[in-house]
Amino acid sequence: YRRHNGVILRYLTIANEYPRALTHIATQSASRLGNVSSLAQLSAVLGEQTRVLSFWLYKATPSQKYVQYSIKKKNGGFRSINAPRDGLKRIQTKLARLLSEIYNGLEQQRANGARDLKGNSSGVLSHGFKDKYSIITNAQMHVGKRYVFNVDIEDFFPSITFGRVRAFFISDNNFRLNPAVATWWRNLYVLKISFRRGRQPLQSSQT
């Protein structure tokens, strides 16, 4: 629980522990976003001052938003990382929490409470960057299978275009965001970089 402006807000991020409550919270979270039409309203949802959001959206330069560095890949070469600086990271964490509430609720709806003998939900489509999920829980889903197909998609994040993220939040039935809000959301969450294939993609931030 968290108190904000005299209102007690409830946060749940683990879908498998509280399926009914989480579905309700996910609906509330999506509704809160869908009703937002101004920067002041978005600021209130995130518990941030409007001037702070305005700074990160309109005034901060790329170098003020992100620090860039490289790490070695297992198979050789280097991976470029654009890590958000503290102020932006705080906002992105709040956005991620809100998205997690919605996503976990939708996932629970897909699962509809059905589980296999190992307790795994058939509605779980992703195990990365989620509470109580990891490469171990992902591997458990495939134990005893005759064939396992494992691939690594090259340049996955940079290949997602900047406009595609905005269009998703506008058109997807689970969000239907106001176009201006979808633009703000996108600008807070992604970073335009150059790309060798000639498109203008996003670089996912590392939170």
Side-chain angles (χ1 to χ4, degrees):
Y1 293 87
R2 177 185 172 189
R3 183 176 291 277
H4 174 65
N5 292 338
V7 179
I8 297 177
L9 303 178
R10 187 183 182 200
Y11 292 100
L12 289 177
T13 56
I14 304 175
N16 291 337
E17 289 189 6
Y18 305 96
R20 294 181 182 176
L22 188 60
T23 300
H24 177 62
I25 288 173
T27 301
Q28 288 183 326
S29 299
S31 177
R32 290 210 313 265
L33 286 177
N35 292 330
V36 169
S37 60
S38 69
L39 189 59
Q41 289 175 331
L42 180 61
S43 301
V45 168
L46 297 176
E48 293 285 341
Q49 295 182 6
T50 304
R51 63 180 180 83
V52 172
L53 242 58
S54 181
F55 168 78
W56 290 111
L57 283 168
Y58 302 116
K59 296 181 179 179
T61 64
S63 61
Q64 287 178 309
K65 292 180 177 180
Y66 295 91
V67 56
Q68 188 176 54
Y69 59 92
S70 298
I71 58 175
K72 284 187 177 181
K73 295 182 179 180
K74 293 181 186 177
N75 57 354
F78 291 88
R79 185 187 308 279
S80 179
I81 302 295
N82 288 285
R85 297 187 185 274
D86 288 343
L88 181 58
K89 184 177 181 179
R90 182 188 68 251
I91 295 171
Q92 290 181 347
T93 299
K94 292 179 179 180
L95 289 170
R97 183 186 297 125
L98 200 56
L99 278 177
S100 292
E101 290 174 359
I102 297 171
Y103 176 82
N104 289 341
L106 295 172
E107 190 171 74
Q108 189 61 46
Q109 289 177 353
R110 287 195 302 267
N112 197 26
R115 299 183 180 280
D116 60 23
L117 295 177
K118 295 181 180 178
N120 297 316
S121 170
S122 59
V124 177
L125 303 180
S126 171
H127 291 252
F129 307 102
K130 292 166 56 180
D131 292 332
K132 290 209 166 184
Y133 290 93
S134 65
I135 57 173
I136 296 176
T137 59
N138 179 53
Q140 288 172 342
M141 302 284 289
H142 305 287
V143 172
K145 304 297 183 182
R146 185 174 182 182
Y147 300 107
V148 176
F149 184 54
N150 184 34
V151 296
D152 184 11
I153 302 175
E154 183 179 8
D155 294 324
F156 174 74
F157 288 111
S159 69
I160 302 174
T161 61
F162 209 57
R164 183 177 176 184
V165 174
R166 178 179 180 271
F168 170 81
F169 285 117
I170 293 173
S171 62
D172 186 83
N173 288 330
N174 296 306
F175 292 94
R176 294 289 185 183
L177 297 188
N178 178 291
V181 177
T183 300
W184 295 329
W185 188 288
R186 174 202 66 182
N187 291 345
L188 286 169
Y189 233 134
V190 300
L191 170 67
K192 273 189 178 181
I193 58 172
S194 59
F195 194 49
R196 64 173 178 272
R197 296 193 181 117
R199 297 189 292 178
Q200 286 191 321
L202 63 85
Q203 173 69 44
S204 66
S205 58
Q206 312 298 313
T207 57

